[in-house]
Amino acid sequence: MACSTIRSVMVDKASVTPIATISRLVSKQTSSSSTTPAAIPRLVIPSSTTSTSESLLSLSSLFTATTPQPDDLRAPAPVLNSTAVSGITSTSTTRPILASASTATTTKASGSSVPIAPRPRFIPRNRRSLTSSGGDSSNWAILFPGQGSQFVGMGKDLYDTYPVARQVVDEADDALGGTLKNVMFEGSQEDLTRTENAQPAILTTSIAMLRVLESERGFKIEESCKHALGHSLGEYSALVATKAVTLHDAVKLVRLRGQAMTKAVTNKGTTAMSALVVRADKLESLVKAMDEIKASLPAGELAEIANINSSFQVVISGTVRGVDHASRMLQAKKIAARAVDLPVSAPFHCSLMQPAADEMKIALKDVHFQKPVINVISNVTAKPITKVEDISDLLVQQVTGTVQWHSSIKYLRDQENVHDFISLGPGKVLANLLRKEYPLDFVKTVTTAEDIQQWAL
């Protein structure tokens, strides 16, 4: 989430906004000693439709390239030495050989025998049962995607096959006055992409998948997992999954969240978001540099970190001039390798979203939360939510705060010794980010009805 050609912004079946061919890579950065960066070519993703807050996650298709990893193999994913974009080929390292044939084979070439290296084969890891009848005591975390993973027809296979999935979709549809199901299954991509539709649609699909997994495979999140987390919008999915809030309340909240975020900025042409490819071991330098850049901007201009998705992928948000200046400075300082302007409808996860945060604060006062059945990791703190009364405040802070995804995963790995993940919901963006960053960790994806049917195979 390996090929050397341009892919759409969405990793899977459809994209938030179809990506046009990117004409060129960013040119070589100017000297870091320059106080006023020269004009640096930037990647721009044109858009014909309104994009959404977490569509930036889909850019992992530009920043990473990993080979699909079978769920029963613990084998390192290949790491690319260069990004494959716009016809620029990438050079990948060879996958480590875990086991190989004892003898090499030969073939005829130009009349002579040419030796061929033994073909790698992989040793399957011991299968782990995650059903209630064979609960595994290992330390699993379950992940839920954010906005940008939606496509028309998602969840339709579940709806047509499993009564429990129909129950979930119908409940969400009823909670929103019958305006969701048709958009999910039969609407246009443009309608589904609208933030107020995409957010409840992704949440509903994720929970439908979870309910089917529970009913068909005996999966119980409280027995099989110890931690849950979701990227931005996905945090609401994690809270529903862990029984901290009802589906009815959650879909109404994220519908309001989408509407509030969209209307928070009236003059869309003055704001922007940009995704940055961070150079190796430069993430800490980037965070420090962004504090300095933000303080140096003139009144009325803003640039803040919206998402830290991994050690190599960061998104900044703010005014057009502020974001442009920040991304150019970071490239000039050789902290960021390149910048990609995102076709979003508003500058999400920055202080310009304060009107939306205020609106969510009022709405959340009327929602009853319960203690999650397992740990839910907050996007804001990158730590487990320890008090029920903190949930509302953290969801409000999330609207304007940085999504600390990278720190959340590091917390799980470093403090909780988590190296096994289930990525559940539409799309494989989160799974691909993990596989790129931590190729030796085990990531199981559940994105379709077929994945559920093969769960115990």
Side-chain angles (χ1 to χ4, degrees):
M1 156 177 281
C3 68
S4 61
T5 57
I6 285 295
R7 297 193 291 178
S8 64
V9 171
M10 225 3 266
V11 173
D12 297 310
K13 297 182 180 178
S15 63
V16 178
T17 55
I19 182 173
T21 302
I22 299 177
S23 60
R24 63 182 182 274
L25 290 175
V26 176
S27 65
K28 186 177 181 180
Q29 285 73 25
T30 58
S31 171
S32 61
S33 62
S34 173
T35 56
T36 305
I40 299 174
R42 297 155 61 79
L43 299 176
V44 180
I45 301 178
S47 172
S48 58
T49 60
T50 302
S51 186
T52 49
S53 60
E54 293 93 348
S55 64
L56 50 95
L57 263 184
S58 308
L59 285 163
S60 57
S61 62
L62 301 181
F63 303 152
T64 68
T66 56
T67 302
Q69 174 183 327
D71 286 337
D72 61 346
L73 302 179
R74 183 184 284 275
V79 179
L80 298 191
N81 294 334
S82 60
T83 306
V85 250
S86 191
I88 305 298
T89 57
S90 59
T91 304
S92 60
T93 60
T94 57
R95 184 188 292 268
I97 298 177
L98 303 183
S100 61
S102 58
T103 60
T105 59
T106 61
T107 186
K108 294 288 185 179
S110 303
S112 61
S113 181
V114 179
I116 299 177
R119 181 180 179 181
R121 60 186 175 85
F122 304 109
I123 301 173
R125 63 173 295 176
N126 294 329
R127 295 188 181 276
R128 295 182 176 181
S129 172
L130 292 175
T131 64
S132 58
S133 59
D136 185 68
S137 60
S138 58
N139 205 7
W140 290 80
I142 187 167
L143 317 177
F144 295 92
Q147 197 167 319
S149 57
Q150 70 276 354
F151 59 91
V152 174
M154 65 179 183
K156 187 68 161 58
D157 56 346
L158 298 169
Y159 188 87
D160 291 340
T161 307
Y162 301 106
V164 68
R166 288 196 291 276
Q167 181 180 347
V168 170
V169 175
D170 289 344
E171 180 183 348
D173 191 58
D174 290 343
L176 299 180
T179 61
L180 181 64
K181 183 166 61 176
N182 287 341
V183 174
M184 287 175 58
F185 296 158
E186 302 172 3
S188 66
Q189 184 65 28
E190 182 178 0
D191 285 341
L192 181 60
T193 295
R194 292 193 177 97
T195 308
E196 64 267 25
N197 292 328
Q199 295 199 14
I202 293 167
L203 185 152
T204 299
T205 304
S206 298
I207 298 304
M209 288 182 185
L210 178 63
R211 296 290 180 257
V212 173
L213 200 59
E214 291 171 342
S215 66
E216 297 298 313
R217 292 292 179 262
F219 177 83
K220 291 185 178 180
I221 194 170
E222 60 268 36
E223 294 180 3
S224 300
C225 299
K226 292 184 180 179
H227 316 274
L229 63 162
H231 190 282
S232 194
L233 155 71
E235 189 165 341
Y236 287 83
S237 301
L239 289 168
V240 175
T242 58
K243 302 176 177 60
V245 66
T246 65
L247 174 65
H248 180 274
D249 285 341
V251 292
K252 293 179 72 173
L253 283 171
V254 298
R255 165 61 63 84
L256 175 63
R257 181 178 184 264
Q259 293 170 337
M261 294 171 89
T262 300
K263 70 182 182 182
V265 178
T266 56
N267 190 347
K268 309 299 182 185
T270 63
T271 61
M273 295 184 76
S274 184
L276 305 172
V277 182
V278 184
R279 293 184 183 275
D281 301 319
K282 292 292 186 178
L283 181 57
E284 186 176 341
S285 298
L286 185 144
V287 174
K288 181 179 179 181
M290 279 298 297
D291 289 338
E292 297 171 354
I293 291 169
K294 179 181 176 182
S296 69
L297 289 172
E301 302 298 340
L302 180 73
E304 296 176 348
I305 297 177
N307 289 27
I308 303 178
N309 292 329
S310 68
S311 65
F312 53 85
Q313 186 187 120
V314 169
V315 177
I316 59 176
S317 182
T319 61
V320 169
R321 291 182 179 180
V323 167
D324 182 71
H325 176 73
S327 58
R328 291 177 186 275
M329 286 294 296
L330 292 169
Q331 289 178 85
K333 292 175 180 289
K334 299 190 181 300
I335 294 174
R338 60 185 63 88
V340 182
D341 293 332
L342 301 179
V344 295
S345 58
F348 303 105
H349 293 293
C350 77
S351 55
L352 294 176
M353 288 287 102
Q354 190 58 50
D358 294 340
E359 193 166 347
M360 290 303 297
K361 184 175 183 179
I362 295 172
L364 285 161
K365 286 181 179 179
D366 297 327
V367 177
H368 176 67
F369 290 98
Q370 299 185 71
K371 181 179 176 57
V373 295
I374 61 174
N375 285 337
V376 174
I377 309 300
S378 166
N379 281 186
V380 175
T381 65
K383 298 289 192 300
I385 300 172
T386 57
K387 299 178 181 178
V388 175
E389 53 268 28
D390 291 341
I391 296 177
S392 294
D393 290 340
L394 290 169
L395 291 176
V396 171
Q397 293 176 46
Q398 186 212 73
V399 176
T400 58
T402 301
V403 176
Q404 298 285 355
W405 189 255
H406 178 60
S407 294
S408 297
I409 298 298
K410 277 187 62 63
Y411 168 80
L412 289 176
R413 298 182 81 258
D414 297 345
Q415 302 299 318
E416 301 291 345
N417 197 31
V418 175
H419 297 279
D420 299 281
F421 300 88
I422 304 169
S423 179
L424 188 146
K428 297 182 180 181
V429 177
L430 297 179
N432 288 339
L433 279 173
L434 269 172
R435 287 167 176 162
K436 169 66 177 179
E437 187 96 51
Y438 305 109
L440 294 180
D441 284 4
F442 183 68
V443 185
K444 186 175 184 68
T445 56
V446 181
T447 64
T448 64
E450 183 179 358
D451 291 335
I452 295 174
Q453 292 162 4
Q454 296 179 353
W455 176 266
L457 296 182

